[in-house]
Amino acid sequence: MTDRSNTDPQRMEKIVSLCKRRGFIFQSAELYGGLNGCWDYGPLGAELKKNLKDYWWRKNVRERDDIEGIDGSILTHREVLTASGHIGGFSDPMCDDLLTKARLRADQIEPQDGVVYSYTGAGYPDTEWSVERPYSVLIKPEENQNENNARKIAKQYYGQFLKDKELSPKKISLAGESTEEVKGTTSFNPATGSLVTEPREFNLMFKTQMGASSSEDDPNAVAYLRPETAQTIFVNFKNVLETSRQKLPFGVAQIGKAFRNEINPRNFTFRSREFEQMEIEYFCAPEDGMRLTDEWLEKRLDFYEEIGIPREKLHILDVPDGERAFYSKKTYDIEYEFPFGIQELEGVAYRTDYDLGKHGDHSGKAMDYFDEEKRERFVPHVVEPSAGCDRTVLALICEAYDEEVLTDDKGKEDSRTVLRFTPKMAPIKAAILPLLKKSEDQTRIAKEIQKSLQPFINVFYDESGAVGRRYRRQDEAGTPFCLTVDFDTLGESGDELKNTVTIRHRDSMEQERVAIDDLLVWLLKKIQ
RNA sequence: GCGGGUGUAGCUCAGUGGUAGAGCGCGACCUUGCCAAGGUCGAUGUCGACGGUUCGAAUCCGUUCACCCGCUCCA
């Protein structure tokens, strides 16, 4: 599936359904009809997400001497976002063509000259119907357009309001026609000549008021929910540098929530209004930026491989000139083949010294770094691997989802739904099952095993129904191992098998025997 | 934001103006010596929400919320 438009909505629907059925992901405030673009993680989803975050933190913070972690506040000072350019520069003015409803970037409409034909409303002969609503059309005489074009378009526009579909818009009578010559107008869609709506600002940041008694119109009380975790890192650059005694190159990592008022949340949790990021800002000397960007790309690809997302399902988009943010010299998007299309999981961007430079200028506090060896002073450059945590969780689920057709001894077909998580990501590492519930010895031993493993890994005890059914239930939860306490465990087949259990493997459904005393080490090895 | 579709049990869905349904799942008990669907019993729910029409609305109308698809957008 390398075609971007290749999608599988049915597969996605099954995944969404499984997520709810098994308690991975629920819609937020479902009880009250749902909250647009917000999702809640259930018991299994919370474990899965935590495993991902823990592993990311372990690989990028704990196991590296050159990266420090922080956990910044979500509420953000407005000056931080003024300096970063989020307030002011980045909200796009949008307007809609009143006739075709096409959405246009207001700042991208070329100024046009021509004659504006304006109307105050319209009516329909021999009926009660009429509408009073101003509307205009731009006519360009040099394109051989005339008043007939204007009237035709206006009739189509007013025709939208006709309730009776039998009536032809062509017979509409226009009211109050007037004309005016204009130069350099941007109020009309160049493609149709139709009037567009007034430009509206789409500011995608969540605004709030600081202080319990602050007045709603007090500009000094305005704060924002951060639209990205990155800015918290930039504004703490000096603090971390001084307290950690790091030297360039070094990075600051953070996992945390960010908020964007997405115009159109879509594709399950993929585009949410509240989401979690896993970001590193890796500070370096200017001459190392390009090389480190490539190195980080490789490291991040390795990471995805380790959590069970194969390299061949990932696509690297080398974002071309003109499509990158203006301050970025190089950006790679790491994309995954979701069932709804190829979509971005992570961006690895070389942001130059833009961010620290901006905060230096805006705050008036120097952000430069003195390299003692080279006796040089400069503003550090930064490489940013910025991963979407919820998107990666979704990718893990999509990648793990599998339906398998099994044929039993009698040739009867049967299908099995399995989430093939890699063991270190699996929400439940092992299920502990007494073969028979009515065997008191089996349930007692199984519960003892549960108690002994619980402090170290997430395990699940289940004694209900036939063991085969319990195995299948764990397959849908993605549990890689089932530990079954049986009659051999009790010593019925002799001392050799006494105090051992059956370990049933999720993917192959094969079994092996392991001594109870060895279980913890056996499992820890498998889940790293 | 526009256009199209959908919304009934945990899940998948039937029910088109007259007492709220099925399969699976779930819980209890029985059965079960290693791969789901054996037996008995049981709970499922403001039919997305609000308003209207009607003697009567899951069903018709309006509004709204949410999800899906296509545009659009995504610093």
Side-chain angles (χ1 to χ4, degrees):
Chain A
M1 189 174 96
T2 45
D3 180 359
R4 291 192 162 255
S5 58
N6 193 354
T7 61
D8 189 348
Q10 285 175 347
R11 179 179 166 85
M12 197 58 214
E13 274 172 35
K14 285 185 195 166
I15 289 169
V16 173
S17 168
L18 177 81
C19 280
K20 171 143 198 219
R21 189 169 71 242
R22 289 281 120 146
F24 282 92
I25 296 168
F26 308 118
Q27 166 138 49
S28 193
E30 188 193 29
L31 193 61
Y32 294 101
L35 184 61
N36 190 292
C38 297
W39 303 89
D40 298 338
Y41 288 89
L44 294 183
E47 287 289 340
L48 176 62
K49 187 170 176 182
K50 187 171 177 355
N51 290 340
L52 172 65
K53 290 198 283 186
D54 286 352
Y55 188 65
W56 186 93
W57 192 262
R58 181 183 129 195
K59 297 302 276 189
N60 289 300
V61 181
R62 300 254 165 88
E63 294 185 5
R64 288 191 63 133
D65 298 330
D66 61 340
I67 299 183
E68 305 286 339
I70 67 164
D71 184 355
S73 77
I74 286 169
L75 290 169
T76 304
H77 197 292
R78 63 191 187 282
E79 294 305 332
V80 170
L81 297 164
T82 304
S84 68
H86 287 87
I87 294 172
F90 288 123
S91 64
D92 299 328
M94 306 293 300
C95 55
D96 298 319
D97 181 323
L98 284 165
L99 180 64
T100 63
K101 312 296 180 197
R103 171 157 293 173
L104 306 164
R105 281 274 296 271
D107 55 335
Q108 287 177 358
I109 296 176
E110 289 292 317
Q112 304 162 84
D113 302 339
V115 181
V116 174
Y117 282 74
S118 299
Y119 305 90
T120 56
Y124 204 89
D126 307 323
T127 68
E128 300 276 302
W129 183 85
S130 72
V131 57
E132 272 193 47
R133 190 184 286 255
Y135 180 69
S136 310
V137 184
L138 182 72
I139 288 302
K140 295 174 205 160
E142 76 275 12
E143 292 177 17
N144 291 324
Q145 294 175 336
N146 56 37
E147 65 271 19
N148 291 329
N149 297 85
R151 289 169 191 158
K152 191 177 163 191
I153 292 168
K155 284 176 185 180
Q156 283 173 8
Y157 168 75
Y158 288 113
Q160 297 175 103
F161 304 105
L162 278 172
K163 286 241 167 73
D164 187 344
K165 301 291 179 223
E166 302 285 300
L167 301 176
S168 165
K170 285 181 188 166
K171 292 186 185 162
I172 285 175
S173 59
L174 298 165
E177 182 177 286
S178 62
T179 62
E180 183 193 359
E181 264 192 54
V182 296
K183 284 195 189 302
T185 179
T186 55
S187 299
F188 298 87
N189 183 352
T192 64
S194 171
L195 185 68
V196 298
T197 58
E198 286 293 311
R200 279 172 301 160
E201 292 282 323
F202 280 77
N203 196 323
L204 301 188
M205 285 200 293
F206 283 88
K207 208 182 205 175
T208 190
Q209 304 293 125
M210 289 286 276
S213 60
S214 67
S215 151
E216 285 213 6
D217 46 15
D218 178 1
N220 295 317
V222 170
Y224 295 87
L225 306 189
R226 62 184 174 192
E228 59 179 27
T229 52
Q231 298 306 324
T232 333
I233 297 179
F234 296 132
V235 299
N236 275 299
F237 169 72
K238 280 271 165 184
N239 288 334
V240 176
L241 179 68
E242 281 162 22
T243 53
S244 67
R245 300 167 54 235
Q246 289 280 3
K247 287 182 180 161
L248 247 51
F250 78 99
V252 178
Q254 179 172 216
I255 298 175
K257 291 263 177 119
F259 304 81
R260 291 180 197 176
N261 236 328
E262 296 290 353
I263 295 168
N264 198 351
R266 270 295 161 87
N267 290 327
F268 200 28
T269 58
F270 183 83
R271 177 163 296 126
S272 301
R273 291 196 165 131
E274 172 173 344
F275 57 98
E276 199 148 16
Q277 295 183 299
M278 304 186 292
E279 278 195 323
I280 299 162
E281 304 299 337
Y282 197 77
F283 300 100
C284 63
E287 61 271 22
D288 294 331
M290 292 298 266
R291 175 179 54 82
L292 285 167
T293 306
D294 286 347
E295 285 181 20
W296 270 110
L297 174 66
E298 285 309 316
K299 279 200 185 70
R300 299 303 305 146
L301 292 170
D302 291 345
F303 178 86
Y304 288 110
E305 188 105 52
E306 287 163 27
I307 61 172
I309 297 173
R311 183 71 181 73
E312 60 268 23
K313 295 292 268 302
L314 295 173
H315 297 251
I316 298 155
L317 179 66
D318 186 348
V319 182
D321 292 350
E323 288 179 33
R324 289 193 303 272
F326 66 89
Y327 47 77
S328 174
K329 269 196 180 163
K330 187 86 180 171
T331 301
Y332 296 111
D333 285 349
I334 300 174
E335 302 178 309
Y336 171 74
E337 290 178 10
F338 285 99
F340 45 82
I342 297 175
Q343 298 277 357
E344 183 183 348
L345 281 183
E346 169 159 358
V348 180
Y350 175 28
R351 300 173 64 114
T352 69
D353 59 355
Y354 175 78
D355 302 283
L356 288 184
K358 280 284 176 188
H359 285 298
D361 292 347
H362 197 73
S363 66
K365 312 251 166 69
M367 290 289 166
D368 38 344
Y369 172 87
F370 184 67
D371 187 320
E372 309 231 358
E373 280 176 32
K374 295 186 198 152
R375 314 294 297 171
E376 273 177 2
R377 187 173 288 280
F378 58 89
V379 175
H381 281 223
V382 69
V383 176
E384 176 196 79
S386 170
C389 183
D390 306 86
R391 289 178 174 189
T392 306
V393 169
L394 185 58
L396 286 173
I397 294 171
C398 291
E399 185 61 32
Y401 184 87
D402 191 24
E403 287 170 50
E404 190 180 45
V405 177
L406 302 173
T407 312
D408 68 10
D409 305 340
K410 296 161 202 153
K412 204 173 163 190
E413 285 201 346
D414 165 31
S415 84
R416 175 171 89 116
T417 302
V418 202
L419 290 181
R420 301 188 191 277
F421 294 123
T422 192
K424 63 171 158 282
M425 289 295 118
I428 301 169
K429 307 304 184 191
I432 300 153
L433 320 169
L435 182 61
L436 281 189
K437 183 183 173 183
K438 71 177 180 188
S439 163
E440 282 178 24
D441 286 335
Q442 286 178 15
T443 56
R444 177 181 50 78
I445 292 170
K447 283 175 183 167
E448 283 169 9
I449 293 173
Q450 181 194 18
K451 283 280 169 238
S452 73
L453 296 177
Q454 265 174 337
F456 305 99
I457 57 176
N458 193 37
V459 296
F460 183 80
Y461 175 85
D462 190 1
E463 59 179 26
S464 73
V467 74
R469 178 190 293 266
R470 284 178 269 160
Y471 286 154
R472 296 299 179 88
R473 209 176 295 173
Q474 293 305 317
D475 287 342
E476 279 205 343
T479 306
F481 309 109
C482 289
L483 317 180
T484 305
V485 175
D486 56 18
F487 292 92
D488 293 344
T489 312
L490 307 179
E492 281 195 11
S493 306
D495 285 348
E496 198 171 317
L497 292 179
K498 194 173 178 185
N499 293 325
T500 66
V501 295
T502 297
I503 295 186
R504 179 263 194 185
H505 292 256
R506 176 195 65 203
D507 293 340
S508 63
M509 296 166 57
E510 281 167 2
Q511 304 189 342
E512 61 179 303
R513 286 205 79 90
V514 171
I516 291 173
D517 288 343
D518 298 338
L519 279 175
L520 180 61
V521 171
W522 191 96
L523 286 165
L524 286 175
K525 256 187 210 160
K526 298 282 182 188
I527 65 178
Q528 294 178 333

